[in-house]
């Protein structure tokens, strides 16, 4: 009865994580889509058009509405709403993730490790899908105001594609290796190790993944460096904004370390039990 209840709670927690992660992703993409529209409306041509509409509205004593400003204000309002909803659902995701971590210690050692392994994989997927950093280049122009010169919003996958297209094959391969291939391999391998926990090669695999775990954040620094370099010669002021994808990926890094430790304990326990059951040969 207790085992069935634990499984049910685990399934509810994992389903809730998937749900809030997906809602966060949807609002994050809406925010990402609204920002280029605002950037386009806030470039030199857009602001010039807005100034003309404002002058027309003043001359007509308000009979002609400033459509450019109304449209821009609407986009900004929708953008801020999307940002707040993305951050709110991200906080829900992190709250459920924290509760999942606490609940895992009330499960059996293997069951808790399996729960954390699946939660780790969910965090990794949303960390790869969501944007991690947004960079906007803007500049003050007389009579126009704050003009947006360029806008860049990239996630890990988008940064890899961008770097590869730019000819930075070595850097793109480094990010691909440390942010997608190895993390995915690590999560899947830890899950299979927990399923086939009595296999003799499990001990070596846990040690291997614990050693490479410290390199899991290298992609974040490479992507950030790339985006700064990409926008450094525009002659404007750069404004960087951390996106939700970075928090998902950070949650993955922390959970993967905990999962590796728990998996190591499971395999060590099995090894200890097997050793105690081994009867020495009598000569």
């Amino acid at each position: 009865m207790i085992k069935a209840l634990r499984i049910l709670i685990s399934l509810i927690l994992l389903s809730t994580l998937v749900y809030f992660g997906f809602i966060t992703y949807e609002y994050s993409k809406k925010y990402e889509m609204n920002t280029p529209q605002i950037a386009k409306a806030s470039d030199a041509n857009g602001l010039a058009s807005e100034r003309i509409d404002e002058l027309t509205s003043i001359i007509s004593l308000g009979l002609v509405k400033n459509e450019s400003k109304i449209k821009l204000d609407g986009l900004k309002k929708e953008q801020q709403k999307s940002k707040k909803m993305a951050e709110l659902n991200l906080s829900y995701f992190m709250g459920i993730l924290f509760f999942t971590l606490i609940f895992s210690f009330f499960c059996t050692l293997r069951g808790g490790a399996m729960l954390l392994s699946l939660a780790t994989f969910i965090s990794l997927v949303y960390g790869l899908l969501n944007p991690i950093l947004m960079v906007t280049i803007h500049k003050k122009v007389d009579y126009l105001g704050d003009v947006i010169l360029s806008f860049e919003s990239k996630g890990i996958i988008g940064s890899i594609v961008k770097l590869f297209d730019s000819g930075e094959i070595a850097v793109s391969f480094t990010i691909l290796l440390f942010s997608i291939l190895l993390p995915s391999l690590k999560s899947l391998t830890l899950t299979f190790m927990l399923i086939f926990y009595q296999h003799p090669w499990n001990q070596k695999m846990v040690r291997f993944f614990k050693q490479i775990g410290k390199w899991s954040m290298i992609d974040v620094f490479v992507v950030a460096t790339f985006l700064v370099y990409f926008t450094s010669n525009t002659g404007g002021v750069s404004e960087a904004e951390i996106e939700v994808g970075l928090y998902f990926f950070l949650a993955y890094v922390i959970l993967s370390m905990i999962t590796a430790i728990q998996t190591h304990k499971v395999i060590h326990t099995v090894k200890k039990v097997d050793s105690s059951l081994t009867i020495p040969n009598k000569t």
Side-chain angles (χ1 to χ4, degrees):
M1 181 64 183
I2 297 178
K3 181 179 179 181
L5 183 60
R6 287 172 177 167
I7 293 175
L8 178 61
I9 295 175
S10 297
L11 291 175
I12 292 174
L13 288 172
L14 293 173
S15 300
T16 308
L17 285 175
V18 172
Y19 172 76
F20 282 118
F22 180 74
I23 298 299
T24 304
Y25 169 75
E26 281 196 325
Y27 280 110
S28 176
K29 295 304 291 185
K30 286 181 180 179
Y31 177 71
E32 189 180 23
M33 291 174 63
N34 286 333
T35 305
Q37 297 179 25
I38 294 175
K40 185 177 180 180
S42 300
D43 62 10
N45 293 329
L47 289 178
S49 176
E50 193 272 333
R51 294 295 183 269
I52 294 173
D53 288 348
E54 182 181 7
L55 181 60
T56 303
S57 178
I58 294 173
I59 294 174
S60 65
L61 301 177
L63 295 176
V64 179
K65 301 295 183 182
N66 189 342
E67 296 294 339
S68 299
K69 188 176 187 304
I70 293 174
K71 180 181 178 181
L72 182 59
D73 290 342
L75 287 172
K76 288 182 177 180
K77 185 177 180 180
E78 186 176 350
Q79 180 201 44
Q80 290 303 313
K81 179 183 177 181
S82 298
K83 181 181 180 180
K84 288 181 179 179
M85 291 302 297
E87 292 175 347
L88 178 63
N89 284 278
L90 174 65
S91 65
Y92 291 154
F93 180 92
M94 293 302 174
I96 298 298
L97 199 62
F98 179 75
F99 184 79
T100 302
L101 177 61
I102 299 301
F103 177 74
S104 67
F105 293 105
F106 291 93
C107 299
T108 60
L109 185 59
R110 180 166 169 249
M114 181 70 73
L115 175 61
L116 290 180
S117 178
L118 295 174
T120 300
F121 186 74
I122 293 172
S123 300
L124 173 62
V125 170
Y126 286 120
L128 296 176
L129 291 178
N130 283 285
I132 64 170
L133 193 64
M134 180 183 295
V135 177
T136 305
I137 307 299
H138 55 93
K139 187 175 184 179
K140 289 288 185 179
V141 178
D142 293 338
Y143 306 110
L144 293 180
D146 194 13
V147 178
I148 294 180
L149 301 177
S150 66
F151 159 79
E152 187 79 18
S153 177
K154 291 293 182 184
I156 295 176
I157 297 177
S159 297
I160 293 173
V161 175
K162 187 72 175 183
L163 282 166
F164 184 82
D165 292 339
S166 301
E168 302 290 344
I169 300 177
V171 179
S172 63
F173 177 76
T174 300
I175 300 177
L176 176 66
L177 178 64
F178 285 101
S179 64
I180 296 181
L181 297 182
L182 284 180
S184 300
L185 179 62
K186 179 180 179 180
S187 294
L188 293 175
T189 303
L190 287 176
T191 302
F192 280 111
M193 288 169 64
L194 290 168
I195 296 175
F196 306 102
Y197 60 98
Q198 293 180 327
H199 202 283
W201 53 261
N202 282 342
Q203 190 74 27
K204 295 181 179 180
M205 294 301 296
V206 170
R207 292 174 181 174
F208 172 73
F209 282 114
K210 285 178 69 177
Q211 289 297 320
I212 68 171
K214 59 185 178 181
W215 299 100
S216 298
M217 287 295 288
I218 190 173
D219 64 290
V220 177
F221 297 106
V222 174
V223 173
T225 303
F226 159 70
L227 289 176
V228 171
Y229 171 78
F230 185 74
T231 58
S232 61
N233 297 318
T234 56
V237 179
S238 72
E239 181 180 335
E241 180 182 356
I242 295 176
E243 295 297 304
V244 296
L246 188 62
Y247 296 103
F248 280 115
F249 202 81
L250 179 61
Y252 155 75
V253 172
I254 296 173
L255 280 180
S256 65
M257 294 179 182
I258 298 175
T259 304
I261 294 173
Q262 293 297 92
T263 304
H264 179 74
K265 289 182 179 179
V266 171
I267 296 170
H268 180 72
T269 301
V270 172
K271 184 179 179 181
K272 190 175 181 180
V273 171
D274 291 341
S275 300
S276 63
L277 293 177
T278 301
I279 301 176
N281 294 326
K282 294 183 179 181
T283 56

